[in-house]
Amino acid sequence: KPFRAEARVRRGDGEWCWVDTRGVPRFSEGGEFLGHVGSGHDVTEMKIAQQALRESEEQCRASFEISTVGMAQGDPITGRLLRVNRRYCEMTGYSESELLQLSIRDITHPEDRTADFERFQRLGRGEVSEYWAEKRYLRKDGKVIWVAATATLVRNASGQPTRTVAVIIDITDRKQAEAALRESEAQFRASFELAAVGQAQVNPATGRFERVNQKFCEIVGYSEEELLTIAPADITHPEDRQQYLEIYPRFLRGEIEEYVTEKRDVRKDQKVVWVSLAAKLIR
């Protein structure tokens, strides 16, 4: 029968090379088998390229599976999940087999689905080269997590989109910290503005007021806008000013963290008021 085989053969110089060998049998008029007629083609470079490709694919597969961030591949049109790694399963609470029956839309929080799917479709149509979003996932157990997702489009040799590849990072802790910070800032802002005592913040670079509350404005008789253009020394009584000018540089050098004193301020209407001042350095 005709045959074809790939085999390694030793060259005259002792090196091994791959040869693609093809042949057909020859018979005599009486039907006696005489041998084969064939050809051999050196395919060593192709074999080396195939081996390199296999190694590259194995490395890619390994990095995909053991990555410490979530990774997923999806259909560029429907968004159906085609491949997910272990970390992505942990993140969403679903098994791999369960996720491969779902789409990205299915696990996205209902309030984020419309905007997110529009961005994803633009990527699938090739209108954008990359997709990025911070959004919420709804885990299998019903818990909500925040993720940062980045996706790119993979095309075949003819340029047709074949799949999307996404990297997903759980940013729930960061989002919770940001929310706590916003709440803390809101509480501070409320306590600052509504305090029954004067409060002010000074910019260490310029030495000027950076923030003042309403009570402080009432004490010194200036508006907030006016105070933000001057420094504490400008409203300090001339006889007390030198002490302030000596203390302030020590604050900036970190020699002292807190300063408490009684001093005189000169109001805008030139009346003198005595104040008890407590200052603290914020780092």
Side-chain angles (χ1 to χ4, degrees):
K1 294 181 180 180
F3 74 89
R4 179 180 180 180
E6 289 183 352
R8 283 166 290 183
V9 298
R10 191 189 297 277
R11 290 162 39 91
D13 58 8
E15 296 291 331
W16 290 93
C17 66
W18 279 95
V19 176
D20 179 8
T21 306
R22 309 182 189 200
V24 293
R26 291 182 61 217
F27 299 93
S28 67
E29 292 181 358
E32 180 184 359
F33 175 68
L34 301 177
H36 288 90
V37 175
S39 64
H41 178 63
D42 188 339
V43 292
T44 306
E45 290 186 0
M46 183 187 74
K47 282 290 186 179
I48 293 174
Q50 289 176 342
Q51 178 62 26
L53 179 60
R54 282 194 295 271
E55 291 177 358
S56 175
E57 288 175 341
E58 289 173 3
Q59 291 173 354
C60 180
R61 185 161 51 248
S63 64
F64 183 92
E65 296 300 337
I66 67 173
S67 175
T68 57
V69 297
M71 298 187 71
Q73 297 180 10
D75 185 287
I77 305 302
T78 65
R80 183 172 177 176
L81 292 164
L82 303 175
R83 187 179 178 188
V84 295
N85 72 347
R86 174 184 53 80
R87 177 59 184 143
Y88 193 73
C89 295
E90 294 172 351
M91 196 179 298
T92 60
Y94 290 92
S95 67
E96 180 180 358
S97 58
E98 289 173 326
L99 283 170
L100 296 186
Q101 301 301 315
L102 302 174
S103 70
I104 297 171
R105 183 183 178 87
D106 294 329
I107 59 176
T108 298
H109 192 281
E111 295 178 6
D112 297 341
R113 282 176 186 164
T114 300
D116 184 69
F117 196 60
E118 287 177 357
R119 287 192 294 263
F120 183 82
Q121 287 188 314
R122 291 190 65 201
L123 176 67
R125 293 192 297 264
E127 296 175 7
V128 294
S129 59
E130 187 178 72
Y131 156 100
W132 182 89
E134 288 188 355
K135 63 175 186 173
R136 290 165 290 181
Y137 272 169
L138 195 59
R139 284 172 45 90
K140 183 180 178 180
D141 58 14
K143 292 182 180 178
V144 176
I145 63 170
W146 276 93
V147 299
T150 303
T152 56
L153 188 64
V154 178
R155 300 177 183 273
N156 59 21
S158 61
Q160 296 300 312
T162 59
R163 62 185 55 206
T164 60
V165 178
V167 175
I168 304 95
I169 302 173
D170 187 338
I171 58 170
T172 305
D173 289 345
R174 195 198 82 194
K175 283 291 186 178
Q176 291 175 343
E178 289 175 351
L181 179 60
R182 284 194 298 271
E183 182 178 350
S184 175
E185 289 176 340
Q187 291 175 349
F188 168 76
R189 188 160 49 248
S191 64
F192 184 90
E193 298 296 340
L194 302 176
V197 296
Q199 293 196 32
Q201 294 178 3
V202 177
N203 186 316
T206 64
R208 293 181 177 180
F209 289 111
E210 189 173 69
R211 190 175 186 180
V212 295
N213 70 350
Q214 182 59 36
K215 184 59 179 177
F216 188 74
C217 294
E218 294 172 1
I219 291 172
V220 296
Y222 288 89
S223 68
E224 179 181 358
E225 293 75 14
E226 291 171 328
L227 285 171
L228 298 185
T229 64
I230 60 177
D234 297 329
I235 60 171
T236 301
H237 192 281
E239 295 178 7
D240 298 338
R241 192 172 297 157
Q242 186 59 37
Q243 180 186 16
Y244 172 81
L245 294 176
E246 291 174 356
I247 288 293
Y248 188 71
R250 296 183 61 194
F251 259 119
L252 298 185
R253 292 194 297 267
E255 296 176 6
I256 55 176
E257 299 286 326
E258 296 183 7
Y259 172 63
V260 179
T261 189
E262 291 183 351
K263 72 181 186 80
R264 290 165 291 181
D265 280 346
V266 180
R267 287 171 45 89
K268 183 179 179 181
D269 59 12
Q270 299 305 304
K271 290 183 179 179
V272 176
V273 293
W274 277 93
V275 297
S276 175
L277 171 67
K280 182 176 177 62
L281 181 64
I282 299 176
R283 298 182 181 277

